[in-house]
Amino acid sequence: ADSCKGSFELGGKHFSAMSRTRNLASAVFRRQLGRGSNIQTRLFLDDIVETDQYVFETLPLTVRFAANMCNSHVLAMCDEDGNVSITNTHTSTILCHLQPHGNAIFDCVWIDSDTKLATGSGDHSIRVSDVQTQQATFTLRGHHGSVKTVQARPSDPFVLVSGSRDGHVHIWDLRIAKPIMSATHTTSGVNFMVSPLFTMRNIHVNQLIPKRRNTKRIRVVDSQQSVTSCVFINDNTLASGGAQDGTVKVWDIRKIPAKPQPVLSLMLGDGCRSHGIASLALNSTGSKLLAGSTDHSLYIVDCINAERAEVLQYHGHQASFYVKACFSPDDRYIVSGSKDQKLHIWEVAIPGPSLWQLEGHRSEVNGVDWSVHDLSVLASCSDDMTTKVWRMERDEVLTDSAETNPPRRVPAVHHL
């Protein structure tokens, strides 16, 4: 049965506008549809090949597949100059270019049934762009540093969360917006300005107590207080990670207006010294949280019983604050970028060193994403100025991809 109802047109092609359901029932259903046994999947993972390459004139920083099952082949690629290129990975064609910012885009998220893309930038703002009209429809301002992370509430695409180098987390509601007019206003639509609904300040600060001075204890705030990643575990629960304190904190957002205090703080690593948290990612059921640490390890935390369950540790890659990681769509695997120019893949059930390494990039691999509904497709971007699409080598996948799909050059988009 065709479950894709509603559509929008982009690049002359129609795409679905069906909302994504992330719950246990849908995960079980996908597995029953024939994801295959672990043995079959591991055989496919042994034969992952690079099938497409996009060459940029500036550094690509993040990649994100669309969330809708029927649009799972649509990929957003964001770069250091504030541009977004959206490509159809089935046909290897660029669908459109967006220009939401004039500074680096560090994170993005598809919202409103994949009809809009929210981007967080070094210009201290978040912008929401309509991918059909290719115009920014919302501008979110309130941060005083680069926006490092932006995510959407699972069941409500109008509610966003963002974290910044200023050390603050803002929660936004796009329904509370004011129309603005400017020299860039066009007839294609009004741009709305949004202010933070709630704010959590300095939530990942190392607080040191030095020697006494004038018999009074003084609290010193570490300058590296950046919030590097946020993710909704469910509609009311938020997890955050910081650049300095090495702690994953869990928050009940219903209590934020009164007094923002974490309901759980989990220090990852050996405890001898704190390492930064570079990325957070959630599995499809919301039961497992993946944290990438600058101690060159990945950690999986049980969201249901975080205080008592064992924290699983994975290693073998070389981490940095730009290296990201995520789950596979069937939740059995995790993939991470690495400073050693490789993608590293682990089986969740086998903690320890990575089981697979994908070679092809010529510099640090930072952004990675696995297609939300297609286990056979993943993407990566690198400091070598390229974004690559990788596929498991099966009957329907071309193996001699270098001759069939030559590298595609992504043109620079200049801001006026």
Side-chain angles (χ1 to χ4, degrees), residues 282-295:
L282 201 65
N283 70 349
S284 65
T285 63
S287 61
K288 305 290 183 183
L289 181 68
L290 173 65
S293 171
T294 56
D295 69 353

Side-chain angles (χ1 to χ4, degrees), residues 101 103-106 120-125 145-148:
H101 303 276
N103 206 323
I105 297 175
F106 295 106
S121 170
D123 65 8
H124 305 179
S125 75
S146 297
V147 179
K148 306 295 290 186

Side-chain angles (χ1 to χ4, degrees), residues 30-163:
R30 290 201 305 274
R31 292 185 180 183
Q32 289 177 342
L33 285 179
R35 287 296 184 188
S37 67
N38 278 333
I39 296 177
Q40 290 176 318
T41 307
R42 294 180 74 179
L43 288 176
F44 284 141
L45 285 172
D46 287 333
D47 295 310
I48 293 181
V49 296
E50 173 196 331
T51 58
D52 293 291
Q53 176 176 280
Y54 300 87
V55 181
F56 287 74
E57 296 185 16
T58 185
L59 287 178
L61 293 178
T62 188
V63 290
R64 189 77 64 210
F65 280 101
N68 189 329
M69 180 182 294
C70 299
N71 300 334
S72 60
H73 56 287
V74 178
L75 177 70
M77 306 178 291
C78 307
D79 69 27
E80 192 177 38
D81 283 347
N83 304 311
V84 181
S85 299
I86 297 179
T87 182
N88 182 339
T89 60
H90 279 176
T91 60
S92 304
T93 55
I94 299 291
L95 299 174
C96 70
H97 297 282
L98 308 177
Q99 305 174 59
H101 303 276
N103 206 323
I105 297 175
F106 295 106
D107 198 12
C108 68
V109 60
W110 292 89
I111 63 172
D112 200 8
S113 303
D114 297 340
T115 61
K116 296 180 177 64
L117 188 73
T119 49
S121 170
D123 65 8
H124 305 179
S125 75
I126 301 104
R127 284 204 168 95
V128 178
S129 301
D130 188 307
V131 295
Q132 185 172 8
T133 64
Q134 301 170 32
Q135 297 292 326
T137 55
F138 294 92
T139 299
L140 288 61
R141 294 196 181 276
H143 283 296
H144 300 285
S146 297
V147 179
K148 306 295 290 186
T149 177
V150 57
Q151 292 293 313
R153 198 177 192 183
S155 67
D156 189 349
F158 294 101
V159 176
L160 303 179
V161 63
S162 62

